[in-house]
Amino acid sequence: MSDSDGKKTLGLRGGGSRPGNVKQSFSHGRTKNVVVETKRKRVVVPKPGGNKGGNAAPATDGSRRPAGITDVEMARRLKALQAAKAREAEDAANRAAEEKAREEERARRRAEAEAKEREQREAEEKARQKAEDEERKKREAAEAAKRAAEPAAKAAAPAAGAAAPRNNPASKPAPAQTPRKSDREREERGRSAKARTGDDNRRSGKLTLGQATGGAGNRHRSMASMKRKQERARQKAMGGTVEREKVLREVQLPEAILVSELANRMSERVGAVVKSLMNMGMMVTQNQTIDADTAELIIEEFGHKVVRVSDSDVEDVINEVTDKDEDLQGRPPVITIMGHVDHGKTSILDAIRNARVVAGEAGGITQHIGAYQVTTESGTVLSFLDTPGHAAFTSMRSRGAQVTDIVVLVVAADDAVMPQTIEAIAHAKAAEVPMIVAINKCDKPAADPMKVRTDLLQHEVIVEAMSGEVQDVEVSAHTGQGLDQLLEAIALQSEILELKANPDRAAQGAVIEAQLDVGRGPVATVLVQNGTLRQGDIFVVGEQYGKVRALINDKGERVKEAGPSVPVEVLGLNGTPEAGDVLNVTETEAQAREIAEYRAQAATDKRAAAGAATTLEQLMQKAKDDETVSELPILVKADVQGSAEAIVQAMEKIGNDEVRVRVLHSGVGAITETDIALAEASGAPVMGFNVRANTSARNTANQKGVEIRYYSVIYDLVDDVKKAASGLLSAEIKETFIGYAQIKDVFKVSNVGKVAGCLVTEGVARRSAGVRLLRDNVVIHEGTLKTLKRFKDEVAEVQSGQECGMAFENYEDIRADDVIEIFERQEVERNLD
């Protein structure tokens, strides 16, 4: 502290303190005198003439203000004090304004509550008045009836009145029952008590949580329940009826249904349905299933209408739709080419398409149904179906006739009518489609078209040259003779038919062929018959379903959509369908899955019912046949579904009373270890038609001694099975696989063609051996080698692990990563065990 603040220094002497003695006592009688200094409190006495007013200017003299306070500090303190007083005044004004606003809000709410309560009292008063008026009218009517009956009663009982004592109060007539004031007061007290209990939803006293939620304890009423309660209270206050009208519904009833689902469809409480079932003597819970008859009784008891449905109703979503005439548009005709083997069906189609389809077929015959679109020089679009001509493909030709508009019957002029030609005529007549006869091979010297026309008369086919209605054209696939006349005849026939379809609807088509591709999965060749099939559509086909992942036309190009009469390959199935199945587009994937599952279950039940013996006589006959008949079990694997079906049908025709062929399993795709395991358990050989076994299956077959036989032509397969079944196997052509080679690269050499640079991966490659070209374990070509070179030298054989160059005879469609199978054929004598 500074020396100029006016204070005196502390010390032992002076007016600020005084000394004194204090005697201290200790234990054992000891004492001690201590000198202490006592300080006195300084009292500040204001001098006369000082600052007595609160609002006067601050004194500049340091002796007139608190010690240590400067002028600046004093001014700052006074300013802060004034600001605090101003804030206090402002806060007081704000509090007064808020209090006034709250008071106004409370008054407004109180007025609204009073108005609402007044309206409610008026409504209750009106309802009470109405009830009293009705009660008074009833009493007046009763009194009037009583007064009308009194004279008759007095006349009927005069004797009884005379005999009764005069002073008997029971003999006096009862006075009329009129409402007394005490009764009205009692009713008013009862009504007020009812209001206090909250029966009419009026709240009084403190509001509890249970009253606010409309329930007691932990039970809370739903919003719908509160609304229903309010509606009942309003109807009761207005004097209307409280009961609501029952809604009658149409309940769809399947063969079996859960109790909870039945209550849900009727919109009834589950407890009420369970109670009704218990009254019928059925002790069930909401999670148990009841039959349709019992459910029908429950539905009728509740007053609803029953609509019976079955499992087959899932297919109602794909019912036939009748198209309007204004929606129909012209579509290309679908032409099916039929005829006997080697009569030139595919050759005629090749001449029209300017393509070489025959070169890719094993043995020079068509093994599969081909679907192509051809545009003629005049601009007419035609859709062709090329069906196989062998007898085993009867069912495939039948499917071709079912989806066709026009049948072209090809008959060789040098061979006349043959058995398969007769079958083709029968299929065309069964399908009720017009027929055009194409007499092929007219360029040969031995051709006799008139003999063909004459032979057709035996089968009720009368051509125009014989004064009939069937068109006939003489053609030659090699020279091109008559092809223009054939196309003109097809165009004329299609104009007569006036073929139309609606492209603006859900697509519907038929599966021409189906196969299991290694890289693409299940693939189906579909001919669209109505509507437009687009990429992304969800469909069901037979027992399979899927979503269109890609559409590929007959030229191998991807397309976005396919209209009526357009053949396309469809990718995106979950399984391989049967050839001949109908494709339908559905709205959702759930519908397609449900339909496919129903069809699969129905097919399984049908097969189980067909294979089961139902009577004792059938069981005994089956046991007797098993003892006397020898069976030849086989497994069949083919590249496409149609070929597998045709082989199975051919196997069923082989046999007699002593021997028969039984197909244990037939499928599509490469031979797998599962097939080898089934064949080993049954002691059956595996027949591969245009497919091969993978490496693991081949090794398993060698270890377990299972025979795998490969075929490329169906004749050889059927003939071998016939010989094996009849025991007439004289000499068998046995194939010995001697090696495998993989194509690394393809080179084009002048004057030679395409040469494959190969690496022999297994065995040995010999020039004299036969070869097959495999692509994804499927046979693409079978033939012989044109050249086998090691560096620049022609060699006889190449060992495993060495590189070589190979070229095929009359075949150049080779690609990298293809596999070449080298084999040798030997004739081996066999005896049937």
Side-chain angles (χ1 to χ4, degrees), residues 52 109 253 385-386 395 450 572 589 642 645 650 783 794 801 833:
K52 298 181 180 179
R109 291 183 180 180
L253 182 61
L385 296 182
D386 181 19
S395 60
M450 189 54 64
E589 186 177 355
E645 182 182 352
E794 192 80 17
D833 296 334

Side-chain angles (χ1 to χ4, degrees), residues 133-162:
D133 293 342
E134 292 178 356
E135 185 67 23
R136 179 171 46 78
K137 290 179 180 179
K138 290 181 181 179
R139 285 197 300 269
E140 291 177 355
E143 290 176 1
K146 187 175 180 180
R147 284 195 299 269
E150 280 180 359
K154 291 180 180 180

Side-chain angles (χ1 to χ4, degrees), residues 89-295:
E90 184 179 356
D91 292 342
N94 292 338
R95 284 195 298 272
E98 290 177 0
E99 185 64 27
K100 184 178 180 181
R102 283 196 295 269
E103 185 63 29
E104 292 177 356
E105 180 67 18
R106 284 195 294 270
R108 184 182 61 79
R109 291 183 180 180
R110 192 182 304 107
E112 291 179 357
E114 291 177 355
K116 187 175 181 180
E117 188 176 358
R118 191 185 311 110
E119 292 177 359
Q120 189 172 359
R121 283 199 303 271
E122 291 177 358
E124 292 176 356
E125 183 65 25
K126 289 181 180 179
R128 186 182 61 79
Q129 187 67 29
K130 184 177 180 181
E132 289 180 356
D133 293 342
E134 292 178 356
E135 185 67 23
R136 179 171 46 78
K137 290 179 180 179
K138 290 181 181 179
R139 285 197 300 269
E140 291 177 355
E143 290 176 1
K146 187 175 180 180
R147 284 195 299 269
E150 280 180 359
K154 291 180 180 180
R166 294 183 179 180
N167 57 353
N168 188 5
S171 62
K172 297 180 181 181
Q177 295 294 331
T178 57
R180 293 176 300 177
K181 183 177 180 181
S182 59
D183 296 337
R184 286 196 298 269
E185 291 176 355
R186 192 181 302 109
E187 290 179 1
E188 289 293 337
R189 287 196 299 271
R191 190 176 294 108
S192 60
K194 185 177 180 182
R196 285 195 301 273
T197 56
D199 291 343
D200 58 347
N201 210 18
R202 293 186 60 187
R203 299 168 181 171
S204 62
K206 185 180 293 184
L207 183 64
T208 63
L209 183 61
Q211 293 175 354
T213 55
N218 294 329
R219 294 188 58 185
H220 301 285
R221 303 188 66 172
S222 63
M223 184 63 68
S225 176
M226 295 294 295
K227 288 182 178 180
R228 288 194 298 268
K229 183 178 179 181
Q230 292 175 0
E231 180 65 20
R232 287 195 298 268
R234 189 181 65 83
Q235 292 287 347
K236 186 176 180 181
M238 298 300 295
T241 58
V242 181
E243 297 181 359
R244 58 189 179 90
E245 185 179 358
K246 184 179 180 64
V247 179
L248 301 181
R249 292 177 170 81
E250 292 185 354
V251 181
Q252 294 186 353
L253 182 61
E255 297 298 329
I257 188 172
L258 288 173
V259 176
S260 58
E261 179 63 20
L262 177 61
N264 186 24
R265 294 187 181 187
M266 293 191 300
S267 295
E268 302 285 353
R269 293 187 297 109
V270 180
V273 178
V274 173
K275 181 179 179 181
S276 179
L277 287 169
M278 288 183 176
N279 292 335
M280 296 173 57
M282 298 181 62
M283 298 300 172
V284 296
T285 63
Q286 63 177 354
N287 297 324
Q288 290 182 344
T289 304
I290 59 176
D291 60 311
D293 296 333
T294 305

Side-chain angles (χ1 to χ4, degrees), residues 682-709:
S682 306
V686 181
M687 307 293 181
F689 185 75
N690 278 338
V691 295
R692 288 293 179 272
N694 52 34
T695 304
S696 58
R698 217 165 38 238
N699 297 335
T700 305
N702 293 334
Q703 293 174 3
K704 298 183 178 180
V706 177
E707 182 182 8
I708 302 176
R709 308 195 69 178

Side-chain angles (χ1 to χ4, degrees), residues 11-63:
L12 295 176
R13 300 179 183 277
S17 62
R18 59 182 178 179
N21 294 328
V22 176
K23 185 178 181 181
Q24 289 183 335
S25 298
F26 297 96
S27 61
H28 304 285
R30 291 182 298 162
T31 59
K32 183 180 180 180
N33 291 326
V34 181
V35 178
V36 294
E37 181 180 353
T38 302
K39 291 186 178 180
R40 291 180 298 174
K41 185 176 180 181
R42 184 176 59 180
V43 179
V44 179
V45 180
K47 296 181 179 181
N51 187 13
K52 298 181 180 179
N55 297 328
T60 57
D61 190 3
S63 61

Side-chain angles (χ1 to χ4, degrees), residues 601-660:
Q601 184 63 36
T604 303
D605 296 342
K606 184 177 180 180
R607 286 192 294 266
T614 56
T615 64
L616 182 60
E617 289 77 7
Q618 292 176 349
L619 288 172
M620 296 177 64
Q621 184 64 33
K622 186 176 183 299
K624 185 177 179 181
D625 294 342
D626 292 341
E627 291 179 358
T628 58
V629 178
S630 300
E631 287 187 345
L632 174 63
I634 61 172
L635 270 78
V636 177
K637 294 299 289 289
D639 54 345
V640 294
Q641 185 67 37
S643 300
E645 182 182 352
I647 292 172
V648 171
Q649 291 182 358
M651 295 298 103
E652 292 176 351
K653 296 179 181 179
I654 299 175
N656 50 23
D657 296 338
E658 297 180 359
V659 65
R660 65 187 176 191

Side-chain angles (χ1 to χ4, degrees), residues 259-376:
V259 176
S260 58
E261 179 63 20
L262 177 61
N264 186 24
R265 294 187 181 187
M266 293 191 300
S267 295
E268 302 285 353
R269 293 187 297 109
V270 180
V273 178
V274 173
K275 181 179 179 181
S276 179
L277 287 169
M278 288 183 176
N279 292 335
M280 296 173 57
M282 298 181 62
M283 298 300 172
V284 296
T285 63
Q286 63 177 354
N287 297 324
Q288 290 182 344
T289 304
I290 59 176
D291 60 311
D293 296 333
T294 305
E296 184 175 358
L297 295 176
I298 298 298
I299 294 172
E300 291 177 352
E301 182 179 348
F302 280 90
H304 300 288
K305 185 178 179 181
V306 180
V307 179
R308 284 289 190 106
V309 296
S310 61
D311 295 337
S312 60
D313 293 340
V314 297
E315 298 193 14
D316 292 345
V317 296
I318 56 173
N319 284 339
E320 293 291 336
V321 179
T322 303
D323 297 319
K324 298 180 181 179
D325 295 337
E326 57 268 17
D327 297 335
L328 299 178
Q329 301 179 10
R331 66 173 179 85
V334 180
I335 303 100
T336 300
I337 299 181
M338 292 186 175
H340 192 66
V341 175
D342 200 25
H343 276 201
K345 303 181 296 300
T346 309
S347 300
I348 292 177
L349 186 59
D350 289 346
I352 297 174
R353 298 177 61 236
N354 294 325
R356 296 293 298 168
V357 179
V358 173
E361 296 290 348
I365 68 170
T366 302
Q367 304 283 343
H368 314 130
I369 291 183
Y372 317 99
Q373 264 202 335
V374 176
T375 304
T376 61

